[in-house]
């Protein structure tokens, strides 16, 4: 192969992963090199990745965008033989690494810096000996290599390293990535993994957001924060992503976007966050009413915790706030007949401590009493926001007990400014009632299962909403058209909090975003010019790949709530099924994701049949709105609707469903098939796995690399909507198309309407997905780009 050809391949692999900053080392047993002529040595029967990773600790300090990453790994040899390995640390692809240091068992270790060509030769030699091709994921980058002295059976080896890189800022948004995915090579789950990030900024930090992992965030003023992630007994396979924004504005706002060229759809995430400590003049004065269930079923520890939560709320009112308490059982007992100033909180705390739990549950009367003293908004819609906190553990048993009537009664009596937040305690609450109330009054519901602490949950909630800085939010964008925005309606914005909005858009380019609302009844508008919305053909990079699935997760959650609260609806079920198939989200209507499907869900007719069958079955049964199953269902669907990260793939679906970027692949007919491919309407162009045409196709259509990495039998759609079927058996390879140039976003045709005229049937059915071994369940994005190169070189040299 010519140097020019090799250089083009390396450039292609770099292009495929423009944001994959690999910083995670691995220990391998390197193979014997292949001779210049003649066959390669026979494969070593021992595993390429012979060691378990006992723990993996990462500590990151970021000061004014300079990130220093310190990694501490403990490798363990669980084999009955000695391992003498090579430690490889792939250098970050695009990061400006200025310093690098390594220690092995506490001793400073000399390391060799490999060029991309030298590192690639190691990977290629491994592939030529037909060992695991996973390391080819790092082809195209330099690496650091050092020898690890023999590790006896049962022994461990500790490796520590440190490197420095500069993080660029995109319109004030800074992104740090640490890939954990090489830990999938560990022979056992990690006992412990942790990432701790400490940030110091010379500009005020606004939003802090991780779409990949649940992180605990602690802020120390406007210029410092820490974010941490910990897990035990896991095999990490997802890169760690952390975004934070800096801005001198009172409310910082940034957008991330990605465009799907095959469907012509754009997806965005918008992050908005006010300053941590709001100016007293900018704090919105609010009314707070706590409605506390004191029925007999609350007696004991539950009621004591509820009283503690009320005590916390009263102790954290702002100076201009007003409040009231309404306790209820068979009847109602308000603290006062009207709203009280914050200065009366002390007397209210004493009053609440003296309450006792007894009697029935008159929810209707309690809610009507709570809103009776609230102010109606003025004619222009302005007014004091009112937060109604409703805490109950049971069903309505006194007065009006019909849920629909209670909902209607409150709807007629409550001012439009009311935001109702419901807390259901235990499994005997009416989820239909609580969720319908919060839907009608722009709030949210939380369900506390047995063992959850009421005081911690309610106090934690109130701490987030105690200082509103912008009420009645509206979002407008000049230059693009926004659609299907979630959450909808937008919630109020609170000091120290943040707003994560996702949706779809039409159009592209630089746009001006306006965030409007009210501050103490006065309208305010914040303007943010130059917000980028990606166009067709713009490189998505790894940073934006989560956005379509995040949007789909929220939309599915919203649709499921609509069905649960308003009844089964064929059109809504159709939408849920379609989204579930497209984005790989398991729902009650799509168990096909974890079992072999009765319906051919890859075809439009099959999806319609599935939705019709599910509608018929659901309409024939009426699930109760209370009980453990109902509470679990309500909590799960509400979590989807409010998710800040894409829905994780169920472990039970791993053998049949894979996510590659924002695309979903089902294992059907012995092949991994893109769910956007409809075999009843499209034909797939055949390509022989690892052939010249296969490799040339990847050069022309690099977006196929992630899908082709799934295995030797894949059907995937390219950006131009043409489907390609990869077969492990020889087929008549097609002519390679020219490099695809996307059409403008306004003229793109959805992939489902584009049909390739040259095609073949699904590849031969004699292979199963990789269900075991060291690389089971992994997506080796560029591996299938590099693997054909190594195989072709091997064959040219006379190898098998």
């Amino acid at each position: 192969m010519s140097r020019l050809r090799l250089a083009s391949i390396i450039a292609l692999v770099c292009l495929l992963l423009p944001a994959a900053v690999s910083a995670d080392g691995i220990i391998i047993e390197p193979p014997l090199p292949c001779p210049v002529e003649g066959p390669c040595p026979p494969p070593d029967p021992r595993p390429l990745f012979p060691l378990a990773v006992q723990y993996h600790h990462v500590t990151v300090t970021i000061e004014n965008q300079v990130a220093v990453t310190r990694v501490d790994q403990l490798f363990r040899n669980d084999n009955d033989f000695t391992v003498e390995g090579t430690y490889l640390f792939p250098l970050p692809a695009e990061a400006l690494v200025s310093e690098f240091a390594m220690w092995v068992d506490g001793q400073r270790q000399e390391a060799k810096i490999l060029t991309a060509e030298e590192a690639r030769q190691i990977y290629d030699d491994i592939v030529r000996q037909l060992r695991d091709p996973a390391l080819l994921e790092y082809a195209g980058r330099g690496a650091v290599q050092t020898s690890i002295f023999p590790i006896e059976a049962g022994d461990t080896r500790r490796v520590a390293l440190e490197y420095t890189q500069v993080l660029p800022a995109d319109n004030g948004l800074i992104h740090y990535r640490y890939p954990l995915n090489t830990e999938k090579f560990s022979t056992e789950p990690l006992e412990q993994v942790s990432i701790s990030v400490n940030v110091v900024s010379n500009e005020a930090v606004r939003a802090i957001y991780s779409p990949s992992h649940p992180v605990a965030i602690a802020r120390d003023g406007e210029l410092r924060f820490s974010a941490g992630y910990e897990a035990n007994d896991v095999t990490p396979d997802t890169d760690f992503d952390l975004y934070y924004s800096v801005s001198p504005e009172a409310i910082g706002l940034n957008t991330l976007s990605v465009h799907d060229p095959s469907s012509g759809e754009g997806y965005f995430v918008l992050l908005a966050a006010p300053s941590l400590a709001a100016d007293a003049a900018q704090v919105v004065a609010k009314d707070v009413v706590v409605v506390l269930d004191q029925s007999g079923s609350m007696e004991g520890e539950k009621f004591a915790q509820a009283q503690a939560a009320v005590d916390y709320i009263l102790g954290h009112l702002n100076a201009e706030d007003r409040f009231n308490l309404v306790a209820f059982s068979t009847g109602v007992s308000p603290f006062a007949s009207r709203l009280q100033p914050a200065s009366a909180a002390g007397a209210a705390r004493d009053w609440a401590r003296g309450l006792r739990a007894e009697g029935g549950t008159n929810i209707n009367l309690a809610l009507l009493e709570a809103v009776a003293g609230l102010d109606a908004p003025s004619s222009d819609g302005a007014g004091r926001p009112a937060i109604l906190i409703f805490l109950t553990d049971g069903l309505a048993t006194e007065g009006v007990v019909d849920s629909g009537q209670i909902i209607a009664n409150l709807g007629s009596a409550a001012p439009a400014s009311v935001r109702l937040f419901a807390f259901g305690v235990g499994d005997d609450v009416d989820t239909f009632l609580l969720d319908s109330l919060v839907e009608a009054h722009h709030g949210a519901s939380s369900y506390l299962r047995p063992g959850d602490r009421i005081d911690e949950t309610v106090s934690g909630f109130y701490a987030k909403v105690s200082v509103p800085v912008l009420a009645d939010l509206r979002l407008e964008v000049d230059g693009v058209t926004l659609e299907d925005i979630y959450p909808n309606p937008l919630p109020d914005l609170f000091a120290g909090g943040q707003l994560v909005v996702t949706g779809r858009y039409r159009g592209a380019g630089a746009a001006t975003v306006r965030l409007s609302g009210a501050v103490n009844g006065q309208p305010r508008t914040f303007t943010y010019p130059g917000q980028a919305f990606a166009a067709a053909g713009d490189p998505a990079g790894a940073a934006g790949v989560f956005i379509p699935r995040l949007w789909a997760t929220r939309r599915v959650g919203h649709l499921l709530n609509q069905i649960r609260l308003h009844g089964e609806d064929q059109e809504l079920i159709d939408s849920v099924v379609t989204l579930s198939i497209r984005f790989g989200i398991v729902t009650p209507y799509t168990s096909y994701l974890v079992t072999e499907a009765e319906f051919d869900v890859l075809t439009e007719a099959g999806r319609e049949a599935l939705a019709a069958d599910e509608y018929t079955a659901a309409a024939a049964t009426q699930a109760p709105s209370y009980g453990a199953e109902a509470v679990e269902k309500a909590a799960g669907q509400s979590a989807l609707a409010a998710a800040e990260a894409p829905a994780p793939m169920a472990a039970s679906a791993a053998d049949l469903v894979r996510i590659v970027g924002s695309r979903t692949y089902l294992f059907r007919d012995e092949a991994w098939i893109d769910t956007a491919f409809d075999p009843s309407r499209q034909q797939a162009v055949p390509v022989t796995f690892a052939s010249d045409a296969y490799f040339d196709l990847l050069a022309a259509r690099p977006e196929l690399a992630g899908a082709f990495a799934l295995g030797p039998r894949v059907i995937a759609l390219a950006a131009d909507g043409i489907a390609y079927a990869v077969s492990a058996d020889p087929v008549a390879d097609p002519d390679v198309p020219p490099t695809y140039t996307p059409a403008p976003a306004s003229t793109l045709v959805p992939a489902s309407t584009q049909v390739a005229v040259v095609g073949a049937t699904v590849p031969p059915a004699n292979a199963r997905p990789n269900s075991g071994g060291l690389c089971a369940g992994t997506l080796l994005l560029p591996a299938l780009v590099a693997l054909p190169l190594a195989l072709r070189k091997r064959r040219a040299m006379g190898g098998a």
Side-chain angles (χ1 to χ4, degrees):
M1 175 172 293
S2 68
R3 290 182 179 270
L4 178 61
R5 174 66 166 164
L6 180 59
S8 66
I9 301 310
I10 293 175
L12 170 62
V13 177
C14 292
L15 177 64
L16 291 176
L17 290 179
V21 182
S22 282
D24 192 4
I26 48 181
I27 293 178
I28 65 170
E29 283 202 305
L32 296 173
C34 292
V36 177
E37 296 182 359
C40 292
D44 189 331
R46 294 187 299 178
L48 174 63
F49 307 104
L51 302 179
V53 182
Q54 187 163 317
Y55 67 70
H56 185 146
H57 298 159
V58 182
T59 303
V60 186
T61 58
I62 304 174
E63 186 168 354
N64 300 328
Q65 298 174 229
V66 177
V68 179
T69 301
R70 299 175 178 88
V71 184
D72 184 3
Q73 293 173 280
L74 185 65
F75 294 89
R76 188 180 66 243
N77 183 6
D78 291 335
N79 303 289
D80 57 4
F81 54 84
T82 298
V83 173
E84 183 170 2
T86 294
Y87 184 90
L88 285 177
F89 176 78
L91 290 172
E94 86 296 348
L96 301 176
V97 176
S98 58
E99 297 180 24
F100 188 94
M102 177 181 290
W103 297 263
V104 178
D105 286 344
Q107 300 296 315
R108 183 72 178 247
Q109 183 86 6
E110 292 297 326
K112 180 183 179 182
I113 307 298
L114 302 176
T115 67
E117 291 271 356
E118 291 171 328
R120 177 59 172 272
Q121 188 59 52
I122 293 176
Y123 309 149
D124 284 355
D125 286 345
I126 291 170
V127 175
R128 283 196 295 271
Q129 293 191 45
L130 300 182
R131 301 181 79 187
D132 198 312
L135 289 180
L136 291 174
E137 180 171 352
Y138 308 109
R141 302 178 204 157
V144 175
Q145 178 189 39
T146 190
S147 296
I148 301 295
F149 296 107
I151 308 173
E152 303 292 336
D155 201 358
T156 60
R157 187 72 75 241
R158 182 183 180 188
V159 177
L161 58 93
E162 177 181 305
Y163 68 96
T164 303
Q165 67 186 105
V166 177
L167 305 178
D170 182 3
N171 201 19
L173 188 65
I174 299 165
H175 176 209
Y176 173 82
R177 162 165 288 196
Y178 181 84
L180 285 170
N181 65 350
T182 60
E183 294 300 19
K184 63 196 173 190
F185 302 136
S186 174
T187 59
E188 297 289 340
L190 278 66
E191 294 179 8
Q192 185 183 57
V193 59
S194 66
I195 299 179
S196 175
V197 183
N198 295 281
V199 176
V200 178
S201 174
N202 58 5
E203 293 186 81
V205 175
R206 296 298 183 233
I208 306 169
Y209 174 59
S210 174
S212 60
H213 293 78
V215 294
I217 296 172
R219 304 192 62 155
D220 181 13
E222 296 271 301
L223 304 178
R224 298 172 179 267
F225 75 89
S226 61
Y229 162 74
E230 290 188 9
N232 298 317
D233 194 30
V234 295
T235 303
D237 59 1
T238 303
D239 293 341
F240 175 84
D241 285 302
L242 181 70
Y243 293 87
Y244 68 95
S245 64
V246 295
S247 173
E249 303 292 335
I251 298 177
L253 184 145
N254 299 87
T255 58
L256 284 168
S257 62
V258 63
H259 204 282
D260 182 355
S262 65
S263 64
E265 296 174 332
Y267 301 88
F268 74 91
V269 163
L270 180 148
L271 305 174
S275 61
L276 190 60
D279 188 319
Q282 299 301 315
V283 174
V284 177
K286 66 184 184 299
D287 296 331
V288 180
V289 181
V290 181
V291 181
L292 176 61
D293 186 344
Q294 64 169 151
S295 61
S297 59
M298 286 285 290
E299 185 179 15
E301 182 64 21
K302 284 195 297 185
F303 195 66
Q305 291 180 18
Q307 288 173 304
V310 172
D311 193 82
Y312 177 90
I313 293 170
L314 293 173
H316 290 79
L317 295 170
N318 300 320
E320 300 302 318
D321 290 348
R322 301 181 302 186
F323 76 95
N324 202 1
L325 307 178
V326 177
F328 73 97
S329 56
T330 302
V332 299
S333 177
F335 167 68
S337 59
R338 62 179 62 88
L339 291 167
Q340 299 295 299
S343 58
R349 295 167 85 171
D350 293 337
W351 180 84
R353 291 168 186 154
L355 295 173
R356 297 292 179 267
E358 58 186 3
T361 310
N362 196 330
I363 292 175
N364 182 74
L365 187 59
L367 292 176
L368 293 180
E369 176 70 22
V371 301
L374 297 177
D375 297 338
S378 60
S379 58
D380 62 358
R384 293 170 66 102
I387 296 177
L388 195 161
I389 299 173
F390 175 40
L391 195 152
T392 183
D393 77 334
L395 308 174
T397 61
E398 302 284 349
V400 177
V401 298
D402 178 71
S403 297
Q405 189 61 53
I406 295 173
I407 295 165
N409 291 346
L410 185 64
S412 299
S417 58
V418 169
R419 304 291 186 263
L420 193 153
F421 297 91
F423 294 85
V425 181
D427 291 337
D428 294 328
V429 293
D430 186 344
T431 60
F432 169 76
L433 173 62
L434 298 189
D435 289 341
S436 296
L437 289 172
V438 301
E439 179 190 50
H441 299 284
H442 311 315
S445 54
S446 299
Y447 292 96
L448 288 79
R449 309 307 302 276
D452 293 343
R453 291 194 62 89
I454 300 171
D455 50 349
E456 292 178 359
T457 302
V458 177
S459 300
F461 156 77
Y462 187 75
K464 296 177 181 178
V465 302
S466 60
V467 186
V469 295
L470 195 64
D472 301 320
L473 266 62
R474 298 180 304 280
L475 184 65
E476 299 173 298
V477 180
D478 293 337
V480 299
T481 301
L482 305 186
E483 300 174 340
D484 298 325
I485 297 174
Y486 300 100
N488 187 18
L490 297 178
D492 296 340
L493 198 54
F494 302 91
Q498 62 189 35
L499 179 63
V500 180
V501 180
T502 184
R504 298 193 296 182
Y505 67 90
R506 289 183 289 110
T512 297
V513 175
R514 290 191 301 277
L515 185 65
S516 303
V519 178
N520 291 320
Q522 301 301 312
R524 287 288 306 275
T525 298
F526 299 86
T527 302
Y528 307 90
Q531 298 295 318
F533 287 80
D538 288 352
V545 74
F546 73 94
I547 300 175
R549 292 197 73 244
L550 173 60
W551 171 82
T553 297
R554 287 191 176 182
R555 178 156 174 79
V556 165
H558 169 78
L559 293 173
L560 290 175
N561 275 333
Q562 293 299 302
I563 293 170
R564 180 168 57 88
L565 298 180
H566 303 291
E568 304 293 337
D569 180 279
Q570 180 71 68
E571 184 176 349
L572 295 183
I573 293 176
D574 286 347
S575 296
V576 170
V577 168
T578 299
L579 287 169
S580 177
I581 293 168
R582 171 68 178 83
F583 293 99
I585 301 171
V586 178
T587 73
Y589 304 107
T590 49
S591 59
Y592 74 89
L593 284 174
V594 294
T595 60
E596 290 289 349
E598 176 184 351
F599 302 95
D600 184 3
V601 296
L602 292 171
T603 67
E604 184 176 357
R607 291 190 292 271
E608 291 175 351
L610 170 62
D613 185 75
E614 292 291 343
Y615 172 74
T616 301
T621 59
Q622 182 65 44
S625 62
Y626 58 91
E629 184 177 349
V631 171
E632 184 175 346
K633 183 177 182 180
Q637 293 177 0
S638 296
L640 284 179
E644 292 198 357
M649 178 52 62
S652 55
D655 286 342
L656 295 173
V657 184
R658 298 285 173 84
I659 305 297
V660 179
S662 61
R663 310 302 288 267
T664 301
Y665 291 80
L666 298 183
F667 193 74
R668 293 288 185 270
D669 298 322
E670 307 301 327
W672 289 104
I673 305 176
D674 190 332
T675 56
F677 173 72
D678 186 341
S680 69
R681 302 173 59 187
Q682 294 173 280
Q683 290 182 309
V685 178
V687 183
T688 304
F689 173 70
S691 66
D692 287 351
Y694 171 92
F695 190 78
D696 291 339
L697 176 62
L698 284 174
R701 298 288 185 272
E703 72 275 9
L704 292 171
F708 282 14
L710 290 171
R713 292 175 172 81
V714 177
I715 298 180
L717 285 158
D720 56 5
I722 303 299
Y724 294 92
V726 179
S727 171
D729 299 322
V731 295
D733 287 328
D735 293 331
V736 175
T739 301
Y740 172 57
T741 301
S746 59
T747 62
L748 280 169
V749 181
S752 58
T753 66
Q754 300 177 351
V755 181
V757 296
V758 180
T761 59
V762 173
N766 57 1
R768 292 297 298 172
N770 178 17
S771 58
L774 294 167
C775 291
T778 63
L779 300 181
L780 308 175
L781 296 183
L784 266 295
V785 175
L787 176 58
L789 169 64
L791 292 178
R792 286 161 60 186
K793 289 171 67 177
R794 176 184 174 88
R795 289 168 182 164
M797 295 164 55

